[in-house]
């Protein structure tokens, strides 16, 4: 039979139109069915979707469509993470307005996403740069301010003197600004902070309950929060009247091995001493140049400056020199340490450099105290304490407790010498950015009244449109009128805060806004509580720390302010792998070629690539993350135009486990498309089949139920590639049965094929819809329930018995292996095919050959 090839260019837009017209994916907050909220991390509107988006959104869409079919009220929204630097960079480079640039990009990407056939509730769409959205965000800020969650403090920033802007630590490369190349300065600015550190313990404990999150993400968050149990210990100075020097240590068990003290260059005592010590002042200035970020500090060579001061050891009759050292951070612990070189690598490097003593105090179990020494490698493992007076022979843990008790009960200047203490690495979140394209911080500064919240009725503080990017710095700061306001308290001239919020703020609560996107308040608490937590969140692992931690913090802070009452925003988290692709180059990795410029010959190790223009051979390089610089990107638009969205969706779902990287290959995409065409040919064969014979009790029916059952489990478990493999198998089974030309099986074939279409529908929704119509149905498969799996057919204990009527095979029956002869006879007589043949009479003969066949003679 001649059939037209399936033409996605026609069918796909058609079905998208039908779905939209019937409003199939608009979600009603008042729908009484059980809710299911599936969300993919919303995109930054860069201008075009990339293949990574296709994979991310295809996965979310499978879940959404599947859950809908399973009878849930599904929320599956989409929006835009639309503030941020690239819009400003584009403005500076191409003289376009960040707003126009952003909204144009959104329009382009929206239509690309629509061409993918995603089952999204577009009614709920918003961009974080919409005034309506950031208006509510400003209210949240003011709520946080009232609750003491937002506050202002002076803090050090990396300042780029050329770009006139604050840089994130990642934007400082070898002490220079990433864009300008200028020497970065440290500046003190008064900035706004969120008190996330108040939630450290709660954010840490909450991780235990997130059992549908990847372990690695939970671990990354745990490390980021960084809980450390130890002590603060105070050391008295010798011969001076400075207050005792307080340090934080997690290894008080090594106190007898202490050989020096070290202060941060930013420690108040350092500053005090530097005021009349030129050498020290110069050393501090040098340290600052290299930056004081964790990365900068960890990679720099250990440097110190001897202050000449000494402190007394709390338990021994000796004193220790006090240094200022570049590896001690001011914003951790107390900004000062005692160094025990034998058991800490940094301390050892430092001690070796400045010729300080190295006394081991922990003896590894297999070592001999008489000849154990430390040269260039610190020992950080377990062992028994030695060289330590009353601690000798103890385990590290016992020694920690013993020291803690001793120092807590010893007095120094009327206070305990030491106290047990828990520290967290997590710092408060600085949200001020000296940028135009962000949410304005709703604050007014008055010389007399200080910083004041913008009165609620004056919100939103809107970004002005008339700005210029011709000079460096923040256009809001330079704007002639926008800044000028009157003080809401005293009425005198005052100025607006010109800093905007970190864009991570925007993405920390968008999932809550989707539950009531037009509410006059940040949320409708009832809607938020009924929809949240998001049941399944899907996105890239690059957001494993900051975005997810900030969102978890926001959920708590917003709950505290009455906007909802859930703490954990994402019940299930899935982090998908990347889409990677071969990269092609000139042999030196200097010139890179796009796949579209090349022609390929041969296969396997003989595969070669040639320039289409000129014919010159090029090198087939490594499989790498798609990047513009290596020109190995694939534009999803091209794939959709050539093969259709279903092919693209099928390919990204099929080729590897979703948490792993998937290698984009032309052959893979072509294979996916061949399958589309194959299903289309099958429907031509199945559609005309007359629906005779019961679909029940046929091997194909059993296979279909079994397949559907495991596809269900695979989709629930997000094992899309396995679901795909099951679909291939079921397709083979349908084809094989068709090839038998057995009319008695027509019902079973049709039934199995319909189940196949249901299984396909979440992944290739357009093709499934077109086939469904072709089978003569007038409803939409997208709005049909998932077929009910017959549990009885799943059992491994059932066998299929062929049934012969008057010597001809007419039907099949599936029965339990354990069924008695009589049970089988009864079941056979009840079958429609048998009853039809008997036409009311009793059979002349009914012979059951156990485990083999049933013969009926009428
Ligand atoms: C003495 C000691 C001996 C230490 C030893 C370690 C090993 P975590 O576990 O990450 O919390 N430290 C404390 N404050 C610091 C600061 N502001 N900058 C740099 N280092 C600092 O690390 C705690 C340990 O890091 C503390 O325990 C302290 O060194 C150091 F064999 O005290 B320890
Ligand atoms: Zn005032």
């Amino acid at each position: 039979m001649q059939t037209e090839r399936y033409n996605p260019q026609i069918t796909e837009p058609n079905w998208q139109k039908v779905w939209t017209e019937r409003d199939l994916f608009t979600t009603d907050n008042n729908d009484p069915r059980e809710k299911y909220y599936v969300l993919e991390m919303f995109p930054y509107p860069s201008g075009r979707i990339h293949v990574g988006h296709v994979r991310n959104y295809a996965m979310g869409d499978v879940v959404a469509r599947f859950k809908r079919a399973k009878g849930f009220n599904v929320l599956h929204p989409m929006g835009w993470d639309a503030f941020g630097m690239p819009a400003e960079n584009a403005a500076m480079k191409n003289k376009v307005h960040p707003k126009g640039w952003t909204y144009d990009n959104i329009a382009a990407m929206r239509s690309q996403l629509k061409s993918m056939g995603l089952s999204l509730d577009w009614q709920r769409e918003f961009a974080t740069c919409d005034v309506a959205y950031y208006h509510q965000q400003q209210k949240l800020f003011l709520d946080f301010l009232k609750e003491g969650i937002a506050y202002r403090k002076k803090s050090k920033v990396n300042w780029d003197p050329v770009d006139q802007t604050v840089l994130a630590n990642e934007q400082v490369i070898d002490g220079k600004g990433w864009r300008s190349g200028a020497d970065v300065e440290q500046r003190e600015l008064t900035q706004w902070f969120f008190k996330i550190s108040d939630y450290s313990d709660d954010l840490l404990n909450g991780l235990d309950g997130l059992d549908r999150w990847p372990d690695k993400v939970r671990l990354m968050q745990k490390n980021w929060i960084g809980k450390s149990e130890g002590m603060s210990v105070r050391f008295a100075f010798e011969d001076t009247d400075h207050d005792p020097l307080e340090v934080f240590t997690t290894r008080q068990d090594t106190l007898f091995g202490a050989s020096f003290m070290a202060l941060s260059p930013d420690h108040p005592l350092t500053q005090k001493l530097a005021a009349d010590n030129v050498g020290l002042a110069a050393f501090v200035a040098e340290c600052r140049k290299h930056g004081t970020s964790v990365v900068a500090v960890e990679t720099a060579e250990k440097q110190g400056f001897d202050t000449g001061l000494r402190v007394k050891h709390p338990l021994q009759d000796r004193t220790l020199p006090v240094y200022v050292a570049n590896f001690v951070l001011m914003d951790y612990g107390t900004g000062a340490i005692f160094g025990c070189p034998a058991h800490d690598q940094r301390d050892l490097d430092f001690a070796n450099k400045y010729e300080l003593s190295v006394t081991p105090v922990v003896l590894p179990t297999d070592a001999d105290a008489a000849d154990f020494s430390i040269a260039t490698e610190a020992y950080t493992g377990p062992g028994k304490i030695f060289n330590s007076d009353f601690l000798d022979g103890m385990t590290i843990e016992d020694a920690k407790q013993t020291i803690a008790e001793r120092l807590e009960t010893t007095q120094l200047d009327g206070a305990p010498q030491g106290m047990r203490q828990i520290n967290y690495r997590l710092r408060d979140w600085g949200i001020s950015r000296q940028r135009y394209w962000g949410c304005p911080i709703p604050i007014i500064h008055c010389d007399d009244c200080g910083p004041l919240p913008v009165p609620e009725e004056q919100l939103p503080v809107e970004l002005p449109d008339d700005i210029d990017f011709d000079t460096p710095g923040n256009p809001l700061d330079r704007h002639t009128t926008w800044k000028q306001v009157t003080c809401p308290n005293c009425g005198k001239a005052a100025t607006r805060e010109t800093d905007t919020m970190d864009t991570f703020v925007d993405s920390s609560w968008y999932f809550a806004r989707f539950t009531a996107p037009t509410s006059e308040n940040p949320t409708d608490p009832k809607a938020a509580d009924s929809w949240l937590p998001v049941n399944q969140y899907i996105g890239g692992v690059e957001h494993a720390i900051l975005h997810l931690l900030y969102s978890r913090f926001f959920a708590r802070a917003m709950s505290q302010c009455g906007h909802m009452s859930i703490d954990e925003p994402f019940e299930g988290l899935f982090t998908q792998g990347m889409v990677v692709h071969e990269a092609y180059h000139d042999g030196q990795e200097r010139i890179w070629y796009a796949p579209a410029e090349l022609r390929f010959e041969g296969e396997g190790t003989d595969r070669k690539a040639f320039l289409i223009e000129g014919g010159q051979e090029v090198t087939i390089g490594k499989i790498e993350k798609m990047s513009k610089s290596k020109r190995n990107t694939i534009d999803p638009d091209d794939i959709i135009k050539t093969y259709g969205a279903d092919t693209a969706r099928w390919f990204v779902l099929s080729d590897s486990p979703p948490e792993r990287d998937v290698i984009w290959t032309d052959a893979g995409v072509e294979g996916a498309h061949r399958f589309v065409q194959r299903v289309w040919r099958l429907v031509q064969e199945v559609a005309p089949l007359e629906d005779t014979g019961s679909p029940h009790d046929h091997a194909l029916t059993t296979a279909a139920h079994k397949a559907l059952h495991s596809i269900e489990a695979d989709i629930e478990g997000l094992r899309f590639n396995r679901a795909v493999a099951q679909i291939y198998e079921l397709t083979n089974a349908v084809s094989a049965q068709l090839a038998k030309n057995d009319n008695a099986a027509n019902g079973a074939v049709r039934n199995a094929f319909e189940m196949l279409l249901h299984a396909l529908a979440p992944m290739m929704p357009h093709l499934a819809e077109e086939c469904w119509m072709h089978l003569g149905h007038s409803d939409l498969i997208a709005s049909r329930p998932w077929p009910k799996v017959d549990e009885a057919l799943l059992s491994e204990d059932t066998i299929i018995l062929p049934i012969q009527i008057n010597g001809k095979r007419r039907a099949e029956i599936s029965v339990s292996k354990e069924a008695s002869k009589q049970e089988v006879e009864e079941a056979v007589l009840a079958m429609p095919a048998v009853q039809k043949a008997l036409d009311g009479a009793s059979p002349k003969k009914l012979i059951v050959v156990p485990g083999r066949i049933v013969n009926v003679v009428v």
Side-chain angles (χ1 to χ4, degrees), residues 446 449 487 490:
C446 169
C449 315
C487 170
C490 70

Side-chain angles (χ1 to χ4, degrees), residues 226 228 248-252 254 327-340 342-344 346-347 423 425:
S228 283
F248 174 69
T249 178
T250 49
R251 292 298 304 272
Q252 63 267 24
T254 66
F327 65 90
V328 184
L329 304 163
M330 189 54 224
D331 64 354
Y332 188 66
T334 61
I337 62 158
F338 79 76
C340 174
H343 304 294
D344 182 286
R346 290 172 307 178
D347 295 353
N423 258 338
R425 234 158 238 296

Side-chain angles (χ1 to χ4, degrees), residues 15 70 89 179 183 186 237 305 411 424 630 697 722 812:
W15 289 115
K70 290 292 277 181
N89 292 343
R179 285 168 57 85
D183 278 338
Q186 301 288 312
F237 277 95
F305 186 94
Q411 297 288 305
Y424 296 91
K630 303 221 163 132
D697 313 318
R722 302 231 318 236
E812 286 183 343

Side-chain angles (χ1 to χ4, degrees), residues 800-814:
I800 306 282
L801 294 179
I803 296 172
Q804 287 196 355
I805 302 177
N806 291 339
K808 279 213 173 112
R809 191 172 150 156
R810 294 286 187 209
E812 286 183 343
I813 188 166
S814 93

